[in-house]
Amino acid sequence: MFRQPLLVLTDSPSGRRALDLAVELAARDRGCLTLATVTDTSPPWWAGAGTGLDAAAEREASCRHHEGLLAAIRDALPHDLSVRTRCLQACERPGTQVLRALDEGVHDVLVVEAPAPWPVAAAGHCSAWLQRHSPVPVLTVREPCR
């Protein structure tokens, strides 16, 4: 049913469950899974205030780091599964980056982690925003019950 899932990766228990679900969806219908990470590349408010921060070098280092993480995850997945990776970087909110990736690709489902409990969710987790604005169905994966 879903052949082109887009998974926004996070490093959490529910992020691992989301990865397992996205792999299952793509493998069941022999589709292609896209793994994505989202990074905010806007310079911090204090950048340029005599700190010597090189924003371009920071963005490049962040991209290399995320591409390495994506490659390691891709290599750990079943070899018969078609997997693409994307490092989403822009000076805009993470949800907007994900929507742009949905528009650019041929994705038919978005798999995201559920919002974290307060107060972490108040810090800007965007899965609820994506549920309202996504042009494709959104599968939201929650943290395991204890």
Side-chain angles (χ1 to χ4, degrees), residues 74-138:
R74 182 188 59 226
D75 293 344
L77 295 176
H79 294 289
D80 61 341
L81 179 65
S82 177
V83 180
R84 289 182 286 200
T85 59
R86 292 199 59 183
C87 182
L88 306 176
Q89 293 187 338
C91 295
E92 57 194 0
R93 53 188 296 178
T96 304
Q97 295 178 52
V98 173
L99 289 182
R100 183 171 294 117
L102 287 171
D103 288 339
E104 293 170 356
V106 291
H107 308 290
D108 52 9
V109 65
L110 174 63
V111 182
V112 295
E113 173 185 353
W118 184 88
V120 177
H125 195 78
C126 65
S127 66
W129 185 86
L130 283 168
Q131 290 172 356
R132 291 189 304 274
H133 293 90
S134 175
V136 298
V138 178

Side-chain angles (χ1 to χ4, degrees), residues 5-79:
L6 170 64
L7 170 64
V8 180
L9 287 171
T10 61
D11 184 21
S12 69
S14 55
R16 177 61 197 184
R17 288 180 54 162
L19 175 62
D20 293 341
L21 175 64
V23 166
E24 182 181 327
L25 287 173
R28 180 176 41 202
D29 294 324
R30 292 194 164 80
C32 180
L33 171 63
T34 301
L35 304 174
T37 59
V38 180
T39 57
D40 180 11
T41 60
S42 59
W45 64 269
W46 45 265
T51 61
L53 177 71
D54 183 359
E58 290 292 322
R59 281 194 299 275
E60 187 67 29
S62 175
C63 188
R64 278 195 309 274
H65 173 72
H66 283 267
E67 286 174 351
L69 292 174
L70 289 170
I73 293 169
R74 182 188 59 226
D75 293 344
L77 295 176
H79 294 289

